[in-house]
Amino acid sequence: MNYRIEKDTMGEMQVPNDKYWAAQTQRSVENFPIGNEKMPKEVVEGFAYLKKACAIVNNKLERLDNTKCDAIKQACDEVIEGKLEGNFPLVVWQTGSGTQSNMNMNEVVANRASEILGKDFRKEKAVHPNDDVNKGQSSNDTYPTAMRIAFVLELQKQLIPAINKLKTTFEKKSEEFKDIVKIGRTHLQDATPLTLGQELSAYVDMLDKALLQVDDSMKYLVELAIGGTAVGTGLNSHPDFSPMVCEVLNEQTNTKYSFKSHPNKFHALTAHDGEVVLSGALNALASNLMKIANDIRWLASGPRCGIGELNIPENEPGSSIMPGKVNPTQSEAMTMVAVQVMGNHTTVSVAASQGNFELNVFKPVIAYNILQAIKLLSDTMLAFNDKCAVGIEANKENINKYLNDSLMLVTALNPYIGYENAAKIAKTAHKNGTTLKEEAIKLGLLSEEEFDKYVKPEEMTYPKK
């Protein structure tokens, strides 16, 4: 590989000749050979949107000339379009302020902008990474701004559509199964009846609440730290810089949720409670997806020695030794995602608590874990929807068998013969292996006609006057 010499305030560095990055990026590459987790591409994209907006505003404030502004804008657009992929090599495990990722972006944009202006950036810098691309900014306010831009865009692009898709499927299934009466279960034991549609309606409401919780977190995420610079004072930044940058970002991203300047930049730099709120919403969604996936795989267990009230799609062989075995793999994948997201939430919570004095220095790990959670949740919901949920069918034969065999239908008799007598019927039937009707008649508590009149499972699925 060919190298060139780049300089920064620390001295000279050898940098790959075919890359746009410079000395500060190279120092990070060499100083932090930790793990395989690269800075998320969504953060890189967020940075590019931000640097473009900052250039436009600095130009409006007459702090950056037209020529440099146009070149920076074009370079940022190329980053957003993925044309400069391969120029952002830094890992998550670097400085906790994200300074090196900010400088990685500054160097790449500056060198590409210099090239756009007809200069060989290896020999001549027409655009400076600090003085031009980073003008009026600090890593301490740009990194949290870039990550929030990334969160908002990814929530809109990935998570919200995925939740809506799975929710719509369960709405359809709930309607399709609304008249199928089945036995309920509490404490893993038989309980009173409900309809299969009612059972699935809980999933619809869970997903609807997830949308509301994500939407609620947006009011924190749209408040951006840009303009706070090093410690929140805005040193070297124009007083109008922050609101103007937010205005340009809204024009660029066309987001449903409008970005705005954080009212207290000292808060914005040192605390990430907004990120904890978002992570909490993702954690709550993961908890509900765990419940949904477990329900589905239990209800579909079998096919002959389990519950078997549901039939789910058979997607792939389930065993390398047992012929014909098929497993609930989409449920298994979704439950694994759920535990990963729960772990991510713990990481985000602890990281957000580490805002010492004027700066939190756990920003990259916060960004990584939230973006991973968004990606995993979005992907697993789409896969579960397409490969499992849409193909769920009711096994009416098993459903009816369990319903009619259940001792908990005796609950319908409480208003007529009292709790004690109803319990006596149930316990006797269980002991003797007989039916509720047989024992009710044998014990002289009800006639056959009375039993049939009072015990109607379909009328036990809703309150009556």
Side-chain angles (χ1 to χ4, degrees):
M1 180 182 292
N2 293 324
Y3 290 90
R4 68 181 188 276
I5 299 298
E6 289 275 1
K7 297 181 180 179
D8 62 7
T9 58
M10 301 289 289
E12 295 183 344
M13 293 292 294
Q14 278 193 330
V15 178
N17 209 34
D18 62 339
K19 301 298 183 183
Y20 285 105
W21 73 68
Q24 291 202 45
T25 301
Q26 189 64 33
R27 287 188 192 281
S28 185
V29 170
E30 296 180 12
N31 287 337
F32 299 96
I34 305 172
N36 298 314
E37 296 81 9
K38 301 296 184 183
M39 189 60 59
K41 65 180 179 60
E42 296 85 0
V43 173
V44 171
E45 183 179 317
F47 258 122
Y49 276 118
L50 177 60
K51 295 298 177 179
K52 179 180 178 182
C54 289
I56 292 170
V57 172
N58 279 322
N59 178 251
K60 290 180 179 179
L61 294 172
E62 300 182 350
R63 293 186 165 197
L64 186 70
D65 65 46
N66 292 340
T67 301
K68 289 182 178 179
C69 177
D70 289 343
I72 290 172
K73 285 164 55 180
Q74 182 178 331
C76 289
D77 284 339
E78 291 179 5
V79 174
I80 294 168
E81 293 164 7
K83 294 180 179 179
L84 301 184
E85 188 177 357
N87 282 283
F88 303 96
L90 303 190
V91 295
V92 170
W93 320 108
Q94 52 164 285
T95 176
S97 61
T99 297
Q100 288 139 11
S101 280
N102 180 43
M103 281 309 304
N104 181 199
M105 180 62 63
N106 290 335
E107 290 176 341
V108 170
V109 169
N111 282 339
R112 175 60 186 135
S114 294
E115 190 174 65
I116 290 168
L117 294 177
K119 307 296 182 182
D120 183 350
F121 67 87
R122 298 166 185 84
K123 300 176 181 178
E124 182 179 358
K125 308 293 186 184
V127 178
H128 194 278
N130 296 80
D131 297 336
D132 297 320
V133 182
N134 199 59
K135 184 180 289 291
Q137 305 153 57
S138 163
S139 298
N140 296 350
D141 65 339
T142 58
Y143 192 93
T145 298
M147 74 179 187
R148 285 197 169 184
I149 293 170
F151 297 156
V152 171
L153 294 181
E154 292 307 302
L155 288 170
Q156 289 187 100
K157 183 169 66 177
Q158 290 196 78
L159 189 74
I160 293 173
I163 295 173
N164 273 316
K165 188 171 187 179
L166 186 55
K167 175 190 166 188
T168 298
T169 293
F170 279 126
E171 284 175 335
K172 292 177 180 177
K173 291 294 177 182
S174 182
E175 176 64 21
E176 179 183 349
F177 301 146
K178 67 180 181 180
D179 296 324
I180 299 177
V181 181
K182 66 183 292 290
I183 200 64
R185 295 178 178 88
T186 58
H187 302 270
L188 299 182
Q189 304 295 307
D190 300 351
T192 56
L194 75 167
T195 69
L196 182 55
Q198 289 172 326
E199 192 165 42
L200 299 189
S201 74
Y203 309 160
V204 176
D205 199 50
M206 290 174 192
L207 295 168
D208 194 48
K209 294 299 188 295
L211 290 170
L212 293 175
Q213 289 165 353
V214 169
D215 189 72
D216 185 62
S217 72
M218 288 291 193
K219 66 186 179 186
Y220 305 103
L221 301 177
V222 296
E223 294 183 339
L224 303 183
I226 192 66
T229 65
V231 298
T233 63
L235 176 67
N236 292 339
S237 178
H238 190 282
D240 297 329
F241 183 70
S242 181
M244 290 177 70
V245 168
C246 292
E247 184 178 336
V248 173
L249 282 170
N250 289 329
E251 294 171 357
Q252 287 184 66
T253 59
N254 194 30
T255 175
K256 171 188 172 184
Y257 303 92
S258 296
F259 295 113
K260 59 184 178 181
S261 177
H262 198 296
N264 188 307
K265 301 299 189 294
F266 307 102
H267 177 188
L269 270 59
T270 195
H272 291 301
D273 43 343
E275 280 73 12
V276 177
V277 171
L278 169 60
S279 184
L282 301 177
N283 188 59
L285 173 58
S287 297
N288 281 335
L289 292 179
M290 174 73 84
K291 181 267 190 301
I292 292 170
N294 277 333
D295 277 5
I296 297 300
R297 64 175 167 180
W298 275 110
L299 290 171
S301 61
R304 294 190 176 181
C305 300
I307 294 176
E309 290 185 344
L310 296 181
N311 296 325
I312 57 176
E314 298 181 352
N315 295 325
E316 60 273 315
S319 173
S320 60
I321 189 173
M322 293 177 279
K325 193 174 193 299
V326 178
N327 296 329
T329 51
Q330 288 299 323
S331 285
E332 291 166 6
M334 195 150 82
T335 53
M336 285 193 288
V337 165
V339 297
Q340 180 66 48
V341 172
M342 292 172 191
N344 287 18
H345 179 53
T346 298
T347 299
V348 171
S349 300
V350 175
S353 74
Q354 300 301 303
N356 299 321
F357 304 115
E358 278 64 61
L359 186 66
N360 177 293
V361 291
F362 285 70
K363 300 182 195 298
V365 76
I366 291 174
Y368 177 80
N369 277 275
I370 289 179
L371 287 168
Q372 185 194 56
I374 292 171
K375 173 67 172 171
L376 289 175
L377 289 169
S378 301
D379 286 352
T380 196
M381 282 189 288
L382 292 178
F384 187 85
N385 181 80
D386 296 345
K387 304 296 183 181
C388 180
V390 295
I392 290 174
E393 297 176 348
N395 185 329
K396 294 182 181 180
E397 182 179 350
N398 281 352
I399 287 173
N400 289 331
K401 178 181 182 300
Y402 293 135
L403 176 67
N404 294 322
D405 285 351
S406 175
L407 298 175
M408 290 304 101
L409 296 181
V410 78
T411 307
L413 298 177
N414 287 359
Y416 307 103
I417 62 174
Y419 181 93
E420 299 293 341
N421 284 329
K424 187 176 182 179
I425 292 173
K427 290 183 177 182
T428 305
H430 181 54
K431 180 181 178 181
N432 295 336
T434 54
T435 67
L436 294 173
K437 182 189 288 188
E438 287 178 275
E439 294 303 335
I441 296 170
K442 191 182 297 183
L443 291 168
L445 293 170
L446 290 167
S447 66
E448 182 176 356
E449 292 76 15
E450 287 174 324
F451 185 92
D452 290 339
K453 178 181 178 182
Y454 300 146
V455 181
K456 294 181 178 179
E458 68 277 7
E459 295 184 2
M460 298 175 68
T461 63
Y462 53 87
K464 292 187 291 185
K465 292 181 179 179

